[in-house]
Amino acid sequence: MLSVSVVVPIFNEFENIPLLHQRLTESLVELGRDYEILLVDDGSRDGSAEALRALAASDPHAKIIRFRRNYGQTAAMQAGLQMATGDVIVTMDGDLQNDPSDIRMMLDKIDEGYDLVHGWRKQRQDAFLNRRLPSLIANWIISKTTRFPIHDLGCTLKAIRREIAQDLELYGEMHRFIPILAHWRGAHCVEVVTNHHPRRFGETKYGISRTLRVVLDLITVKYMLDYSASPMKLFGMLGFGCGMLSLLAGSAMILMKLVGGVDMTGNPLLLLAAFSMMVCIQFLSLGLLGEVCARIYFGSQGKQHFTIRELINFDSADEPVRWRPRVAA
């Protein structure tokens, strides 16, 4: 039976921590699986650190990761994913709006053969105007842009096989794009309806102000999905388009000179042709630099732009070595 690691980012959740631990423990014990709970303190300032220390002293299943300052939920999630040792990693929020009882249902989906199960807060218990409406719009835009069908990309409750989770690189606000990034790496994903509860203690850390950062990260994700291994496909097409525009503008300018005797020096098409050619050269240069950087990235770090699901008739010594984080003493 697969073991379970639960990763929970914590930021100023002092009042929620005891109840969170109690409900998590109850749900995990009922599973009859080996488990651990990784609580990542993202620079809390409300006494959460002391509460987590007390928790770790009373429960050996609770493991605490403390940041020196607040780095954000994505960094906390990345640290938890890399430190987890369970076969399946479950991620959830620390405000108890996600329901720990849903973990069993999500693990059953993993046992069916899925690599990632992500939650859908169909009956979301949040304010409509500043939480649910922006989320609906963002999910629609992201789904159309990435061609990944999903209803609720912002739901933190997910279950992921460890080999998939630890292959992800998360920056900015990209923790919300985990299903899309995993799908890009070949993971079999499924969305399931999960419970959602109103926040009981503390204040939400999210708001409309994060929308712009999500949009910027969406641009990054779109680039990673389609062009990270071969940037010239993007910049080369843009450069080719600018080159064609320059050629057309130059040809029209010459034709106007030959047929109508129009002065070339005062013709705006001359500026358009020159500007378009310069932009064409810049895009092609960016494409070449991107290709070089991509090869340096994949080569120097031992990265690869493909993933292997299964190795058959290979000895364990022949299997690829997986990177593990270096923990400071």
Side-chain angles (χ1 to χ4, degrees):
M1 188 175 290
L2 298 176
S3 58
V4 183
S5 296
V6 180
V7 174
V8 187
I10 300 290
F11 180 63
N12 294 341
E13 299 288 357
F14 172 76
E15 296 169 299
N16 284 313
I17 289 173
L19 186 57
L20 171 68
H21 176 257
Q22 177 187 344
R23 295 186 59 186
L24 260 178
T25 301
E26 291 172 354
S27 297
L28 293 171
V29 168
E30 290 177 358
L31 296 175
R33 303 174 185 243
D34 292 333
Y35 73 91
E36 63 179 3
I37 303 173
L38 285 80
L39 301 162
V40 186
D41 179 15
D42 185 23
S44 298
R45 299 182 295 271
D46 67 339
S48 294
E50 290 71 21
L52 291 173
R53 285 197 187 95
L55 201 65
S58 63
D59 182 7
H61 292 97
K63 300 180 179 180
I64 313 302
I65 303 170
R66 291 195 60 220
F67 285 173
R68 294 184 181 274
R69 64 173 179 84
N70 177 241
Y71 287 94
Q73 186 173 3
T74 298
M77 196 75 72
Q78 177 78 9
L81 294 179
Q82 294 298 341
M83 297 291 186
T85 60
D87 299 313
V88 179
I89 302 176
V90 176
T91 63
M92 62 181 297
D93 283 327
D95 55 13
L96 274 177
Q97 290 193 269
N98 297 138
D99 195 332
S101 64
D102 286 326
I103 293 177
R104 176 185 291 275
M105 175 263 295
M106 303 185 90
L107 292 178
D108 288 341
K109 286 292 184 181
I110 293 290
D111 291 335
E112 290 177 14
Y114 290 101
D115 298 310
L116 186 148
V117 183
H118 50 98
W120 173 16
R121 299 165 295 181
K122 194 171 184 179
Q123 301 296 328
R124 185 173 177 179
Q125 304 299 311
D126 281 322
F128 178 78
L129 189 60
N130 66 335
R131 295 294 304 279
R132 290 165 55 195
L133 180 60
S135 179
L136 288 171
I137 296 173
N139 283 316
W140 183 84
I141 294 174
I142 292 170
S143 179
K144 294 299 182 182
T145 301
T146 62
R147 301 185 297 276
F148 182 80
I150 193 170
H151 294 91
D152 187 8
L153 201 61
C155 181
T156 306
L157 185 58
K158 302 176 181 68
I160 322 166
R161 292 186 186 271
R162 186 178 62 175
E163 61 270 21
I164 298 293
Q166 295 186 339
D167 199 37
L168 301 175
E169 296 181 345
L170 306 178
Y171 305 96
E173 300 286 334
M174 286 192 182
H175 65 276
R176 66 185 68 250
F177 294 100
I178 285 178
I180 296 175
L181 297 174
H183 176 72
W184 174 53
R185 299 292 290 174
H188 291 172
C189 305
V190 64
E191 187 176 48
V192 296
V193 176
T194 57
N195 297 311
H196 193 248
H197 305 287
R199 173 181 272 273
R200 295 180 58 181
F201 305 106
E203 298 179 354
T204 180
K205 316 302 187 300
Y206 300 94
I208 298 179
S209 60
R210 290 202 173 192
T211 303
L212 177 59
R213 284 179 284 176
V214 173
V215 171
L216 294 175
D217 281 329
L218 173 60
I219 296 173
T220 302
V221 169
K222 178 63 177 177
Y223 173 80
M224 291 174 60
L225 294 178
D226 294 344
Y227 305 110
S228 64
S230 184
M232 183 57 83
K233 291 180 180 178
L234 172 63
F235 296 110
M237 287 189 298
L238 293 174
F240 179 77
C242 291
M244 289 299 298
L245 178 61
S246 176
L247 180 62
L248 290 174
S251 299
M253 177 189 62
I254 294 173
L255 184 63
M256 292 171 65
K257 174 65 175 179
L258 295 178
V259 176
V262 178
D263 183 18
M264 295 179 60
T265 57
N267 195 328
L269 290 179
L270 176 62
L271 296 176
L272 178 60
F275 178 76
S276 298
M277 182 55 64
M278 287 189 295
V279 174
C280 169
I281 295 172
Q282 288 181 330
F283 275 130
L284 292 176
S285 299
L286 281 175
L288 290 173
L289 290 174
E291 291 285 335
V292 172
C293 291
R295 279 149 181 75
I296 292 174
Y297 171 76
F298 286 114
S300 64
Q301 299 190 32
K303 297 286 184 179
Q304 53 193 26
H305 60 277
F306 59 88
T307 56
I308 299 173
R309 178 174 295 275
E310 185 179 14
L311 293 174
I312 301 175
N313 287 341
F314 279 79
D315 295 330
S316 59
D318 296 328
E319 294 182 3
V321 178
R322 184 168 298 279
W323 176 84
R324 293 288 296 168
R326 182 173 58 187
V327 182

